[in-house]
Amino acid sequence: MSVGEFKPGLEGVPATLSSISYVDGQRGILEYRGIRIEELAQKSSFLETAYLLIWGELPTQDELEAFEHEIRYHRRLKYRIRDMMKCFPESGHPMDALQACAAALGLFYSRRALDDPAYIRAAVVRLLAKIPTMVAAFQLMRKGNDPVQPRDDLDYSANFLYMLSEREPDSLAAHIFDICLTLHAEHTINASTFSAMVTASTLTDPYAVVASAVGTLAGPLHGGANEEVIDMLETIGSVDNVRSYVDHCVEKRLKIMGFGHRVYKVKDPRAIILQDLAEQLFEKFGQDKYYDIAVTMERVVEEKLGHKGVYPNVDFYSGLVYRKLGIPTDLFTPVFAIARVAGWLAHWKEQLGENRIYRPTQIYTGSHDMPYIPIGDRQPSSSDLIASKV
Ligand code: ACO
């Protein structure tokens, strides 16, 4: 077998055939199942969008109501999962807590019947229903409080904000949060979705699929960037410092968080919608001091890096929206995960349809026929020195 050209990061290498979502990075177009993201953000709800992504078609009124009802019914966590969470260190990152909880679901729902549509639906419902409860429960527990039970009279997004703050949210806030979930629900073969697909291809359970994707989403080059955007805006501190900050990053070739994308070479269409949502929130609840810094930064980065196709991505304005909704910074990525579970599950289901285990190749760059040196004759290596300092 001949070995093809190596593409770092597999850039441009098709990893699958998929009909779930489509991105045109030159024209700034994102579609879920052929429907533009702008239209879904305006007309659909997150759960309707999740249904569309996973089952391929918009649900009828009855189908949507049945789906919403099942999700309401499965929002609660087993007390053993809550007890397990109480043992987590409160200083731990909520993404690590979420990854552990998602994997733990596999212990409680261990039956695996990947060819049974009822099993697939039950797994979809459980994951969509319970992940928000897990995120909110960890937030309250790490402050030393008992988690609050989900409220059946509240819809998906309002219930999450309620479980987080123990207060019924403002209706505009809940509506905007729901749009944020729709915007983050799916995005072709990004790193976490690819993780999900690789894990799914071994025919393991869907909880392991989602747990592996959560671990991948956590990194700062992927979902973790929205947290770092807020840290960056805090560090910059004022509009007057924006230009020198950007100049420094450009000169030192540092990545500016919330900018750039492997696929988009124009402003991410989700960033356009999120900026508008941020402005709606500021109008109702008051300005955010970092918004002016962000807008100035977008202008300066475009001036300096626009020729390389570096523009705001989805993470640039999402943090400002979440801040205004009262969501703590280190929950931004778990909130991203709440939404992206829909996309991961859609790819899991699609993967099962035409499965072949992922097993790429490599181009070996190491040595051959090396002698085995007896332990007493070996010289310390640099890795030994690093290990001795840990
Ligand atoms: N700041 C400064 N320069 C950048 C940035 C950035 N954020 N992003 C890309 N560039 C530059 C690169 O230095 C490179 O310049 P060069 O051609 O002179 O070497 C050029 O633009 C192309 O960028 P690549 O690094 O090749 O782009 P890649 O596709 O490998 O990386 C990535 C994409 C990881 C998202 C990158 O843009 C980045 O690190 N951005 C910051 C982190 C971030 O916001 N991540 C969230 C992405 S969206 C998401 O995952 C949900």
Side-chain angles (χ1 to χ4, degrees):
M1 188 184 79
S2 72
V3 177
E5 186 195 347
F6 168 55
K7 301 269 190 163
L10 298 183
E11 179 169 0
V13 177
T16 192
L17 301 175
S18 180
S19 62
I20 299 169
S21 65
Y22 170 79
V23 174
D24 181 333
Q26 300 297 333
R27 294 192 297 152
I29 291 172
L30 169 60
E31 292 171 343
Y32 295 169
R33 300 283 185 189
I35 305 176
R36 289 279 187 110
I37 191 66
E38 292 81 0
E39 195 167 11
L40 289 167
Q42 200 187 4
K43 298 178 183 165
S44 188
S45 67
F46 169 65
L47 285 186
E48 186 186 57
T49 299
Y51 189 105
L52 167 74
L53 288 167
I54 296 164
W55 281 285
E57 286 176 359
L58 286 167
T60 63
Q61 187 68 36
D62 286 350
E63 286 166 341
L64 180 60
E65 280 171 18
F67 187 50
E68 287 173 343
H69 176 77
E70 282 171 72
I71 287 183
R72 263 171 227 262
Y73 183 76
H74 284 280
R75 281 172 180 168
R76 282 170 180 70
L77 301 179
K78 287 191 182 292
Y79 79 85
R80 285 176 195 272
I81 291 189
R82 295 203 304 270
D83 285 356
M84 177 190 84
M85 295 176 76
K86 283 181 187 156
C87 301
F88 292 173
E90 53 287 352
S91 57
H93 196 285
M95 280 299 271
D96 294 329
L98 181 59
Q99 189 180 21
C101 289
L105 286 177
L107 290 164
F108 292 92
Y109 306 102
S110 55
R111 176 176 166 259
R112 192 186 309 145
L114 300 176
D115 52 358
D116 176 356
Y119 171 86
I120 293 199
R121 182 161 178 128
V124 164
V125 164
R126 266 191 214 112
L127 280 157
L128 282 168
K130 293 185 193 302
I131 281 193
T133 314
M134 289 168 170
V135 173
F138 183 68
Q139 168 63 8
L140 292 193
M141 283 181 190
R142 68 177 170 168
K143 293 196 293 188
N145 300 329
D146 277 328
V148 297
Q149 290 294 339
R151 260 184 48 188
D152 288 350
D153 60 319
L154 296 176
D155 69 21
Y156 191 81
S157 290
N159 175 60
F160 173 70
L161 293 176
Y162 162 74
M163 290 190 297
L164 207 55
S165 66
E166 303 178 79
R167 280 196 310 272
E168 197 172 321
D170 171 87
S171 58
L172 177 72
H175 176 61
I176 284 182
F177 182 71
D178 200 71
I179 297 174
C180 290
L181 295 184
T182 298
L183 296 179
H184 286 84
E186 160 62 9
H187 208 246
T188 72
I189 312 302
N190 52 81
S192 58
T193 300
F194 190 44
S195 264
M197 288 161 56
V198 172
T199 309
S201 79
T202 70
L203 301 184
T204 187
D205 69 71
Y207 311 105
V209 168
V210 168
S212 69
V214 170
T216 308
L217 185 69
L221 295 187
H222 193 10
N226 56 12
E227 266 186 52
E228 307 229 351
V229 168
I230 295 296
D231 293 345
M232 176 183 74
L233 296 176
E234 281 173 1
T235 304
I236 294 172
S238 97
V239 169
D240 296 342
N241 299 332
V242 168
R243 189 165 285 277
S244 58
Y245 182 90
V246 174
D247 283 345
H248 173 78
C249 292
V250 172
E251 192 196 325
K252 300 282 179 201
R253 300 183 65 78
L254 300 173
K255 288 274 162 59
I256 303 169
M257 289 295 131
F259 286 88
H261 199 278
R262 173 62 58 84
V263 184
Y264 292 115
K265 299 305 164 198
V266 294
K267 187 170 177 178
D268 186 324
R270 299 165 299 173
I272 296 171
I273 301 171
L274 283 160
Q275 186 173 7
D276 175 59
L277 297 178
E279 286 175 1
Q280 287 183 42
L281 284 172
F282 301 151
E283 197 173 307
K284 180 155 185 187
F285 301 109
Q287 281 299 318
D288 183 305
K289 62 178 176 173
Y290 296 126
Y291 185 60
D292 289 344
I293 302 178
V295 171
T296 310
M297 199 156 178
E298 177 177 346
R299 190 166 36 75
V300 177
V301 171
E302 180 176 348
E303 194 185 295
K304 302 275 177 187
L305 295 170
H307 65 283
K308 291 186 184 177
V310 176
Y311 288 88
N313 60 46
V314 68
D315 286 324
F316 191 57
Y317 288 107
S318 64
L320 289 170
V321 172
Y322 296 151
R323 246 170 78 89
K324 206 67 197 171
L325 293 174
I327 297 172
T329 309
D330 65 357
L331 289 193
F332 292 178
T333 318
V335 162
F336 192 157
I338 289 173
R340 189 53 61 86
V341 167
W344 294 331
L345 290 171
H347 285 274
W348 166 62
K349 197 164 160 294
E350 187 173 70
Q351 180 71 34
L352 294 180
E354 292 285 338
N355 190 53
R356 187 158 191 226
I357 190 167
Y358 277 95
R359 198 351 179 153
T361 189
Q362 62 169 12
I363 297 170
Y364 178 64
T365 60
S367 314
H368 293 285
D369 298 326
M370 297 289 286
Y372 179 84
I373 302 168
I375 196 160
D377 298 344
R378 296 174 204 164
Q379 298 299 315
S381 67
S382 55
S383 62
D384 290 335
L385 297 175
I386 292 164
S388 66
K389 286 184 194 159
V390 171

